[in-house]
Amino acid sequence: EQNPDPTLLEQALLIEQFKAGRLAAFKELHTRYAPNICGVIHTILRNRERAEELTQDVFVKIWDYRASYDASKGRFFTWVLNIARNAAIDELRSKSHKEQQLNLHTTFFVDMAEEQEEQTFGVDMNHVKGLIRGLGKKCHQIIELLYFKGLTQKESSDYLDIPLGTVKTRVRNCISRLRKNLVD
C-alpha cells in the first residue's frame, strides 16, 4: 500500500478550509491559481487589463459559491477554470468579439493551463493530452469550437456548415468517448 501524495493531501485540506470560509485558505488558493486563471482569460480576451479585472471577479464568484464545489464531480482547478472560461466567453459575447474567438488555438489554451497544473501538483497531463488528441479531428474540432472558443451548437453548425443535429450527436459521442477514456 502506497502512502498518499503529501501535495494532494495538502491541496485537499486547503480546499476544505476554503469551503469552510477560511480566508487564509482562500488567499493561498488565489496565490496558486490567479496567475494561471488570468493567463487563460487573457488568452480568450486578448486584453490584459480586462483579464486581470475578470480574474478578480472569478475569485469573488468562487468565494461566493465555495459551498457548491464538489470534489466528487471534478478537480478544484477544473472547477475554477470552467468558471473563468465561462466568464471570459460571456465577456466576449457581450462585446461581439466572435471573429477574435475564431483565431484562438485550443492547444495553446490547454497547454498553458496544464503547464501550471503539472508544476504545482505533479499531474500527468501528457495522458490527458493524448486522450484529447486521440479523439480524432472531428471531435477535436467540435470540442475546440464549443468549449474553448465559446460558440453555441448553432454557431458551430453554421461555422462547420453541417446540420445542427450532427453537431449535437458529435458532441455527445465525443464527450462520452473522452469520459470513457479518462476512466479506463
Side-chain angles (χ1 to χ4, degrees):
E1 186 176 314
Q2 288 185 326
N3 290 331
D5 183 345
T7 306
L8 294 177
L9 289 175
E10 175 197 340
Q11 176 75 0
L13 178 61
L14 191 60
I15 291 168
E16 285 307 312
Q17 291 174 350
F18 163 73
K19 286 182 67 173
R22 298 244 169 94
L23 195 53
F26 175 69
K27 287 180 181 178
E28 178 61 25
L29 289 169
H30 183 274
T31 299
R32 289 183 183 191
Y33 290 113
N36 209 25
I37 295 301
C38 187
V40 168
I41 293 171
H42 180 258
T43 300
I44 296 170
L45 296 181
R46 303 285 187 200
N47 178 324
R48 175 59 66 186
E49 184 178 314
R50 188 62 189 125
E52 290 170 359
E53 293 170 2
L54 206 50
T55 298
Q56 296 312 312
D57 293 346
V58 165
F59 277 87
V60 168
K61 189 171 192 169
I62 69 165
W63 176 257
D64 290 344
Y65 293 98
R66 64 189 177 276
S68 69
Y69 170 67
D70 182 354
S72 70
K73 292 183 180 178
R75 298 180 59 201
F76 182 77
F77 179 79
T78 305
W79 181 67
V80 176
L81 188 62
N82 281 330
I83 292 169
R85 185 189 68 84
N86 290 338
I89 289 169
D90 287 347
E91 175 76 9
L92 282 178
R93 286 183 177 158
S94 72
K95 295 186 176 191
S96 303
H97 286 127
K98 289 184 178 151
E99 287 303 312
Q100 186 176 1
Q101 284 176 294
L102 294 175
N103 293 326
L104 296 177
H105 297 286
T106 304
T107 52
F108 176 72
F109 179 89
V110 171
D111 288 347
M112 182 191 64
E114 291 171 350
E115 183 179 312
Q116 177 66 29
E117 184 74 0
E118 285 175 20
Q119 292 171 0
T120 305
F121 302 108
V123 175
D124 180 12
M125 294 309 291
N126 289 326
H127 177 68
V128 176
K129 288 177 188 178
L131 292 175
I132 292 170
R133 286 185 197 111
L135 291 175
K137 183 180 177 183
K138 289 180 181 180
C139 282
H140 187 267
Q141 187 178 45
I142 205 74
I143 288 171
E144 179 178 353
L145 292 173
L146 293 170
Y147 294 97
F148 295 103
K149 294 185 179 176
L151 272 65
T152 64
Q153 289 181 342
K154 175 69 174 120
E155 290 167 336
S156 298
S157 167
D158 293 342
Y159 180 76
L160 295 171
D161 195 28
I162 59 175
L164 180 58
T166 302
V167 169
K168 291 179 179 187
T169 300
R170 235 180 242 176
V171 170
R172 199 169 40 252
N173 291 341
C174 294
I175 298 301
S176 175
R177 285 177 43 208
L178 185 58
R179 279 190 187 124
K180 181 184 180 307
N181 290 342
L182 284 170
V183 171
D184 289 346

